Amino acid sequence: MQTSSLCAIIGDDDYIVRQKAREVFDDWAKDFPDDLSREIIDGRADRVDDVLRILSEAKAATTTLSLFGGGKLVWISEANFINQNKTGAAKGAKDALESAKEFLEKLEDSRVILSACPIHRGHSFVKWLQKNSDFHDLAKSEKEDVTFRRLVEETASELEVKFGLGALEYLAGKIGAHPRLGVEETRKLASYLGREGGEITEQMIIDLVPDFGEGDFFEASEAFFSGQLDWALDAIDRHFFQGKDARPLLSTLQNRNRLLIQLRVLIDGGELNPHDRMSKDLLERLAAKHAHHFDDPTSKTTLNVFSQNPWFLGRLLGLVKKFSTRQLIDLQSNLIEAFEQVLAQPREQHATIFKNLVIRTHSA
């Protein structure tokens, strides 16, 4: 039987879990206006003794009346002992969690928020929380790209700025749709715009946001396929000036080209219109129709265009119009040739190899 007095929030990203827990805490705090009736307990434990202390403090807080009467709002924040690490797997920690069920089931006028990361979903206490709390598993309820968009848009709204056409998608690609970094970069861009606010554009993101994670080669790849020769050559210069390697960039270009080839085939077959918006529903319908062509249709890979994010494919649709199927297939062959040249020539020549490839592609 679920109870609204206990809210459990778990996930695999500590920032996303903390943000969701903060939202719940701020909402519930309206019913606990007195500062002394609200308490946040640091749930990070290095030893079993820490687990005992944290749960003891939570119990004491919920069973002690506030100064003005009534219950208390308690947030056990960033609990890291509901898993199989050395502390979480210890018998003392498991016994403490088992004992905590008694007071958590009888909160009366008090409310408790438990946010935990990392967690082990097979843990017996997690299974108990699923049945006895308002339970949120963020890894299952909200995909990372959806979380990224939600958090970044909320931050932009709070700072009174907005993203121009395609700019949010560009930011996601450049930093690998990393939610926490997305929020921080949005704050930085808003600060650049100043008190007057305004619009965050793609050009601002190109100039001010560094590549990160999965987006480590994003600008060079975007520039390569853009049709803008000057930008492409400058991006390659920046890539190698920063000491980045040639082979990962080649891999990124090949992955992008694989997707473009598949999109071009769908366009040529009349199943996609390059001028239309790529929607999730459309992508799912096409994926179901062509699922038999893939060994594992659910695996995310550039060999399967239907495993990609719809907004990302929407950006690629604009690029597909610049290339014929023949040009894209020829480019794939040229990328293989460039790879052989990279292996055969010294590092100092790698930038020249890519520049020649760019010039050949733009002149095709």
Side-chain angles (χ1 to χ4, degrees), residues 148 167-178 205 212 215 218 311:
F148 172 85
L168 179 57
E169 290 77 10
Y170 195 93
L171 177 64
K174 207 168 198 303
I175 62 175
H178 191 285
I205 295 170
F212 177 81
F218 187 76
W311 61 253

Side-chain angles (χ1 to χ4, degrees), residues 160-283:
E160 299 182 347
V161 297
K162 63 180 181 179
F163 284 89
L165 182 64
L168 179 57
E169 290 77 10
Y170 195 93
L171 177 64
K174 207 168 198 303
I175 62 175
H178 191 285
R180 184 186 320 197
L181 192 57
V183 169
E184 295 306 318
E185 290 298 330
T186 301
R187 293 187 183 280
K188 182 177 76 177
L189 292 165
S191 177
Y192 176 81
L193 285 171
R195 293 182 179 179
E196 297 79 12
E199 184 177 88
I200 296 172
T201 65
E202 286 191 11
Q203 190 59 51
M204 283 178 59
I205 295 170
I206 291 170
D207 294 339
L208 300 175
V209 177
D211 295 343
F212 177 81
E214 293 179 8
D216 202 22
F217 310 102
F218 187 76
E219 186 197 354
S221 180
E222 283 281 298
F224 186 93
F225 290 99
S226 68
Q228 302 176 41
L229 181 59
D230 289 344
W231 180 27
L233 294 175
D234 287 345
I236 288 172
D237 275 336
R238 279 192 292 273
H239 177 87
F240 287 101
F241 180 76
Q242 294 168 5
K244 295 180 180 178
D245 194 16
R247 282 174 286 186
L249 176 56
L250 264 174
S251 177
T252 300
L253 295 175
Q254 286 180 318
N255 288 337
R256 176 75 60 99
N257 199 52
R258 287 193 195 105
L259 295 174
L260 291 174
I261 290 172
Q262 294 172 79
L263 288 173
R264 183 75 254 180
V265 169
L266 289 169
I267 290 171
D268 292 345
E271 297 188 78
L272 274 182
N273 185 331
H275 303 289
D276 289 346
R277 176 178 173 272
M278 174 64 78
S279 68
K280 182 180 178 183
D281 290 341
L282 173 60
L283 192 63

Side-chain angles (χ1 to χ4, degrees), residues 2 20 26 37 59 79 92 125 192 215 238 254 269 278 330:
Q2 286 194 346
K20 177 63 176 178
D26 290 344
S37 66
K59 180 179 179 179
F125 191 70
Y192 176 81
R238 279 192 292 273
Q254 286 180 318
M278 174 64 78
D330 287 344

Side-chain angles (χ1 to χ4, degrees), residues 39 50 68 90 100 105 111 119 128-129 131 134 140 211 242 249 256 317 328-329:
E39 186 171 345
D50 294 331
F68 298 99
E105 288 174 333
R111 295 184 192 177
I119 53 89
W128 180 85
L129 288 171
K131 298 178 181 178
D134 179 12
K140 293 183 178 180
D211 295 343
Q242 294 168 5
L249 176 56
R256 176 75 60 99
L317 274 177
L328 292 172
I329 292 173

Side-chain angles (χ1 to χ4, degrees), residues 259 262 287 290-291 294 296-308 313:
L259 295 174
Q262 294 172 79
H290 297 285
F294 304 96
D296 182 7
T298 63
S299 176
K300 186 171 183 178
T301 168
T302 55
L303 296 174
N304 179 0
V305 68
F306 307 112
S307 69
Q308 303 299 305
L313 294 180

